[in-house]
């Protein structure tokens, strides 16, 4: 065991009170509990949707069950047109509902102008006409892009909490991300630099 590995092991034992890694990993914790139970996952998604509805004024006219189906479909890779068929709605209504839920696709953010400048104008309260003149684009383009940027701004102000909650429940990458974040929070990042990932504690 080299010096770095020994330092990591000592920090781990001090932080957890245990020298057994698998014991901690095997326990269900936080939002990852019950992830193998589809109904439990849906219920937790529904709770997050309900919390968002209490906090924000939704523009889309969907009930919570429809929004849960939309969130699940979004993380399953369904396009707005596919979700529209499933929900018996228009793609435009699905797009609006996604933005209500802070679910913005990369393709939504393909603005024909500087996004940071656009965000600053929105935060300053500029109207569409002022933004269009400032960015030298048609006002219709601003009106189309505004909901995208506003959804991202709302998500940012909430520290991406709701988007991340959905992702945590519905994507496979969350466990590794959570473990990495936990390690950084516990002060292990520096101690683990240059250590082989397959080191056994």
């Amino acid at each position: 065991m080299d010096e770095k590995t020994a330092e990591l092991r000592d920090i781990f034992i001090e932080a957890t009170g245990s020298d057994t890694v698998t014991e901690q990993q095997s326990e269900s914790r936080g939002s990852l509990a019950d992830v193998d139970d589809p109904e439990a996952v849906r219920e937790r998604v529904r709770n997050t949707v309900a919390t968002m509805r209490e906090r924000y004024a939704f523009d889309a006219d969907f009930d919570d069950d429809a929004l849960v189906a939309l969130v699940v479909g979004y993380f399953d890779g369904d396009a707005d047109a596919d979700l529209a068929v499933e929900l018996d709605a228009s793609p435009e209504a699905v797009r609006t509902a996604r933005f209500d839920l802070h679910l913005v696709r990369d393709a939504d953010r393909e603005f024909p102008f500087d996004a940071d400048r656009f965000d600053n104008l929105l935060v300053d309260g500029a109207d569409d006409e002022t933004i269009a003149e400032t960015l030298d684009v048609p006002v219709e383009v601003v009106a189309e892009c505004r909901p995208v940027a506003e959804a991202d701004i709302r998500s940012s102000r909430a520290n991406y909490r709701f988007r991340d909650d959905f992702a945590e429940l519905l994507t496979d990458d969350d466990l590794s991300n959570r473990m990495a974040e936990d390690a950084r929070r516990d002060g292990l990042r520096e101690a683990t630099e240059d250590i082989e990932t397959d080191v056994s504690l």
Side-chain angles (χ1 to χ4, degrees), residues 18-201:
S18 171
D19 60 0
T20 306
V21 176
T22 55
E23 178 183 51
Q24 291 295 98
Q25 291 176 336
S26 66
E27 294 176 359
S28 293
R29 171 173 154 332
S31 298
L32 293 176
D34 302 322
V35 293
D36 293 329
D37 182 347
E39 285 308 310
V41 170
R42 282 182 174 272
E43 185 59 30
R44 298 177 81 157
V45 170
R46 184 177 289 104
N47 290 340
T48 301
V49 167
T51 299
M52 295 186 74
R53 190 186 290 280
E54 291 176 1
R55 179 168 179 172
Y56 303 103
F58 283 1
D59 292 321
D61 187 22
F62 288 116
D63 62 22
D64 286 359
D65 287 341
L67 292 177
V68 170
L70 187 154
V71 172
V72 172
Y74 172 87
F75 281 99
D76 199 35
D78 293 347
D80 287 355
D82 298 323
L83 292 169
V85 172
E86 179 182 349
L87 299 174
D88 192 22
S90 68
E92 292 76 17
V94 169
R95 181 176 185 265
T96 298
R98 280 199 295 108
F99 296 159
D100 284 340
L101 298 169
H102 302 176
L103 301 178
V104 181
R105 305 183 195 275
D106 288 339
D108 296 323
R109 301 186 181 99
E110 294 177 356
F111 301 151
F113 44 70
D114 183 82
D116 290 336
R117 195 177 180 195
F118 183 41
D119 286 349
N120 290 333
L121 289 165
L122 290 175
V123 170
D124 288 342
D127 59 25
D128 287 358
E129 289 75 16
T130 300
I131 295 174
E133 182 178 351
T134 303
L135 299 180
D136 193 24
V137 294
V139 68
E140 295 80 10
V141 172
V142 174
E144 178 74 10
C145 296
R146 175 185 282 271
V148 180
E150 288 181 337
D152 273 337
I153 290 170
R154 287 193 300 272
S155 185
S156 174
R157 286 174 173 169
N159 290 324
Y160 307 102
R161 166 193 167 192
F162 300 108
R163 183 202 65 187
D164 289 350
D165 282 353
F166 292 138
E168 181 177 297
L169 289 164
L170 297 167
T171 63
D172 293 332
D173 293 334
D174 178 68
L175 181 57
S176 60
N177 292 337
R178 282 276 301 277
M179 289 174 65
E181 183 62 29
D182 286 346
R184 287 193 294 270
R185 280 200 302 266
D186 291 340
L188 301 181
R189 185 177 186 179
E190 181 178 350
T192 56
E193 287 179 356
D194 301 324
I195 293 178
E196 299 274 334
T197 58
D198 61 349
V199 169
S200 175
L201 298 178

